[in-house]
Amino acid sequence: ARGACASCGSVAPIGEQPLYMYPRSPGAVLRCAGCENVLMVIVHTEGRVRLGFRGLSWLEVRQISASD
């Protein structure tokens, strides 16, 4: 998947962005490699995972076909 930073407009694969989390924290923060804007917040609590995409203008996920 790739996305666009809502702050600086940088477009890059999500997996190339810095991820910050602490060993005992309930969540993680994904930041833009270009401007350090918060792109995504991931929180795991009470048997659920909550995703916040406040810093992304858009997120694109490549569709995988049966032949891939």
Side-chain angles (χ1 to χ4, degrees), residues 6-37:
S7 180
C8 72
S10 175
V11 175
I14 294 297
E16 291 181 2
Q17 306 314 302
L19 178 69
Y20 297 91
M21 63 186 294
Y22 297 99
R24 294 160 77 122
S25 71
V29 175
L30 191 72
R31 292 188 173 269
C32 175
C35 71
E36 297 185 0
N37 178 49

Side-chain angles (χ1 to χ4, degrees), residues 30-53:
L30 191 72
R31 292 188 173 269
C32 175
C35 71
E36 297 185 0
N37 178 49
V38 173
L39 298 174
M40 185 186 313
V41 177
I42 305 148
V43 178
H44 182 264
T45 182
E46 299 175 8
R48 287 178 267 205
V49 176
R50 181 171 289 174
L51 305 172
F53 298 98

